[in-house]
Amino acid sequence: MVEEAYTMKVYLAGTIDNTELIDCLSWRVSMTDALAPYGIRTIDPTQTILPTPDSIPSRQDFTVPARAIVERDLMDLRSCDIMVVCFPKKSKKFSIGSVMEMVYAKEYNIPVLLVDLTKDSRYTNHPWIKEHTTMQYETVDLCLSGLLNYWRVQ
């Protein structure tokens, strides 16, 4: 029997609801494209919830039961080695789901790398965010560099 090589997996969390499509997806695409050459796979929850490529509806608009969304996201999170959370510049509201996923990641002993593009210390200095974040970065590129140089499973 041939043993399959281990592939590191990174869960990409961040605001989905009420966010401009470009702000929701651009960092995820950049992260996925940059990690692929290293054999690192990303798990992106937006890939299973977007009904069309034109818009990102509120999760309240979905006919899928809330429990199914949460259970699927947590199953995906548990399958990952690391979690990257991005707080985008122009989000119309804070990502409650991402913060909940951060709490679960800590419970699952999964490191959480936070990219804060808001530059709003009210979020990153909040005790619950600080306690559930392993490392904070100011840009996606700095997070990528940190992930590849420090966090990557050899």
Side-chain angles (χ1 to χ4, degrees), residues 3-70:
E3 190 172 316
E4 196 172 308
Y6 179 79
T7 300
M8 182 179 179
K9 289 192 274 183
V10 178
Y11 186 84
L12 303 178
T15 304
I16 296 172
D17 301 8
N18 302 306
T19 301
E20 296 294 324
L21 186 63
I22 191 74
D23 294 326
C24 177
L25 297 180
S26 62
W27 76 271
R28 287 177 165 96
V29 170
S30 295
M31 184 78 61
T32 299
D33 289 349
L35 295 175
Y38 297 93
I40 299 172
R41 192 171 146 223
T42 58
I43 305 295
D44 179 356
T46 67
Q47 297 304 305
T48 55
I49 66 148
L50 294 179
T52 70
D54 300 326
S55 65
I56 297 176
S58 169
R59 283 214 174 179
Q60 290 120 350
D61 296 338
F62 288 108
T63 56
V64 177
R67 179 180 213 151
I69 293 170
V70 170

Side-chain angles (χ1 to χ4, degrees), residues 11 36 38 48 53 57 59 72 77 85 88 97-98 100-101 121 127 153:
Y11 186 84
Y38 297 93
T48 55
R59 283 214 174 179
R72 193 273 333 270
L77 176 61
V85 182
S98 295
M100 295 301 296
E101 289 167 336
S121 62
V153 175

